[in-house]
Amino acid sequence: MLVPGARVPLSTYRLQFNSRFTFRDARAIVDYLHALGVTDAYASSYLKAVPGSPHGYDIVDPTRLNPDIGSEEDYWAWVESLRACGMGHVLDVVPNHMGIAKSANPWWLDVLENGPSSRFARFFDIEWHPVKDELADKVLIPILGDQYGEALERRELQLAYRDGAFVVAYYDEVLPIAPDTYGRILSDTLDRWVTDHPGDAADELEIILAAAANLPERTTRDSDHIALRAREKEVVKRRLAALTGSSAEVRALIDSCVERFNGVAGQPRSFDPLDRLLNEQSYRLAHWRVASEEINYRRVFDVNQLAALRVEDSAVFDDRSRRRPLCAG
């Protein structure tokens, strides 16, 4: 059904946006397209996608323009050029999946950090209780190039601390560590360190870790608890970032604990602490070859890096649609 007053394209010309064809490039050919008789540009997705995407349909944030294609100023300059010629544009939107590669998708990372209690857990089609018991309330992440134990002992999985949060890095993937497990990283040395470093910084660190440990469980489906966790986990990160920014002693403690967790090459047991920490997360890292048999999130075209969205759920579809940036065409 045609919406009254809606623009009806009479002739279109498709534009494939990526880092090699940007908003500025599109603006440069507006007069040419107008001379051809084109009434509307048919644009491939220009919403924020996985960095370096050649096609743009692996969207990671539908609320933002793709920085590979240009700035907001570049976008509006292109739109105004179209308008000046009496032209418009049609945006090709694919709402049923998102890209999850290179740790670029904030919704997916929130799911990995918070499991079923993530605000975005219902967006993705995840089987939280699959056949394998060890995957209960976890997401299988088949990104490793070798068996998990081999990757661990080769120190390819590296714990790190960044801006108030702990993460584990695997090449260009950076996965979150759940805030309620932060205490595990410091537990072996915390009591002794607090005794040796009495004062406000030590008190604040203990308060932060207590708040993190008392977050609502990652398995909760209660909406109030989900909202509380979403809010308070960010408070934990902000306070920890502020503390490590103001206290060199706390930062040194964290750095030493991170170094210990990353193990020593040739000493297999030295990786046990990191292994235990990873086992407590809401995801399980695995070799990419196991995806066909064990993966428990719905993909698109069997591509591990494309996670399907539950657009059949009207609430998800409506929320996904509301999150698109303001476009004009």
Side-chain angles (χ1 to χ4, degrees):
M1 179 178 178
L2 186 63
V3 177
R7 180 185 179 86
V8 179
L10 299 179
S11 60
T12 61
Y13 188 96
R14 190 175 188 280
L15 302 178
Q16 176 59 61
F17 284 106
N18 52 45
S19 61
R20 294 187 294 179
F21 187 84
T22 67
F23 291 132
R24 292 186 180 185
D25 296 317
R27 183 186 180 192
I29 64 171
V30 168
D31 288 341
Y32 169 71
L33 296 180
H34 180 60
L36 289 178
V38 173
T39 65
D40 294 84
Y42 172 30
S44 67
S45 177
Y46 49 61
L47 306 181
K48 188 176 181 182
V50 172
S53 173
H55 51 76
Y57 290 99
D58 44 359
I59 295 170
V60 299
D61 188 346
T63 69
R64 298 176 60 190
L65 296 171
N66 190 342
D68 285 353
I69 299 172
S71 65
E72 188 169 339
E73 290 75 17
D74 295 332
Y75 168 76
W76 285 110
W78 170 57
V79 169
E80 291 302 324
S81 294
L82 291 170
R83 287 174 173 171
C85 291
M87 299 171 64
H89 81 277
V90 179
L91 173 62
D92 192 3
V93 177
V94 182
N96 71 338
H97 70 267
M98 297 185 79
I100 57 173
K102 299 182 180 179
S103 302
N105 188 321
W107 299 1
W108 184 251
L109 292 179
D110 195 85
V111 172
L112 300 187
E113 181 183 61
N114 302 290
S117 72
S118 167
R119 293 170 296 165
F120 301 103
R122 69 177 296 180
F123 280 53
F124 300 96
D125 198 355
I126 299 169
E127 177 53 73
W128 292 108
H129 296 286
V131 174
K132 287 202 168 188
D133 291 339
E134 60 264 34
L135 279 176
D137 292 322
K138 294 177 181 281
V139 183
L140 183 76
I141 306 297
I143 60 173
L144 303 181
D146 203 341
Q147 299 300 320
Y148 166 77
E150 297 294 329
L152 184 68
E153 293 184 19
R154 283 201 299 267
R155 304 183 82 240
E156 293 174 358
L157 297 166
Q158 289 284 294
L159 184 67
Y161 172 77
R162 302 178 182 179
D163 302 321
F166 290 95
V167 297
V168 63
Y170 179 74
Y171 296 104
D172 58 358
E173 298 283 355
V174 180
L175 307 177
I177 296 297
D180 46 287
T181 64
Y182 286 2
R184 311 285 195 275
I185 300 169
L186 306 177
S187 60
D188 285 352
T189 58
L190 182 62
D191 289 344
R192 184 174 67 254
W193 184 89
V194 169
T195 300
D196 293 340
H197 299 80
D200 292 343
D203 292 343
E204 174 68 356
L205 180 58
E206 289 190 300
I207 291 171
I208 292 170
L209 294 177
N214 287 298
L215 289 170
E217 294 183 357
R218 279 174 276 145
T219 55
T220 184
R221 271 74 168 178
D222 179 83
S223 59
D224 290 338
H225 288 170
I226 288 173
L228 178 63
R229 181 181 176 89
R231 181 178 68 250
E232 294 303 315
K233 71 182 179 67
E234 295 305 316
V235 173
V236 165
K237 294 176 189 177
R238 287 196 298 270
R239 291 180 69 174
L240 189 56
L243 179 60
T244 53
S246 62
S247 172
E249 292 84 2
V250 173
R251 182 58 197 252
L253 168 66
I254 287 177
D255 289 344
S256 66
C257 290
V258 166
E259 182 179 3
R260 181 175 64 84
F261 263 66
N262 283 328
V264 179
Q267 298 181 23
R269 297 306 298 269
S270 68
F271 298 96
D272 288 352
L274 181 56
D275 177 49
R276 287 193 292 269
L277 180 68
L278 291 175
N279 284 334
E280 290 190 62
Q281 304 310 307
S282 294
Y283 53 86
R284 184 167 74 84
L285 295 168
H287 192 290
W288 64 269
R289 290 184 182 275
V290 309
S292 60
E293 297 179 358
E294 299 183 23
I295 203 161
N296 63 330
Y297 64 88
R298 183 161 56 91
R299 301 165 293 171
V300 173
F301 305 126
D302 289 339
V303 178
N304 294 345
Q305 294 79 19
L306 296 178
L309 292 175
R310 298 181 61 248
V311 289
E312 70 276 10
D313 183 331
S314 59
V316 172
F317 182 84
D318 291 344
D319 194 49
R320 169 68 168 77
S321 300
R322 281 196 301 270
R323 291 174 184 271
R324 287 202 302 270
L326 178 64
C327 300

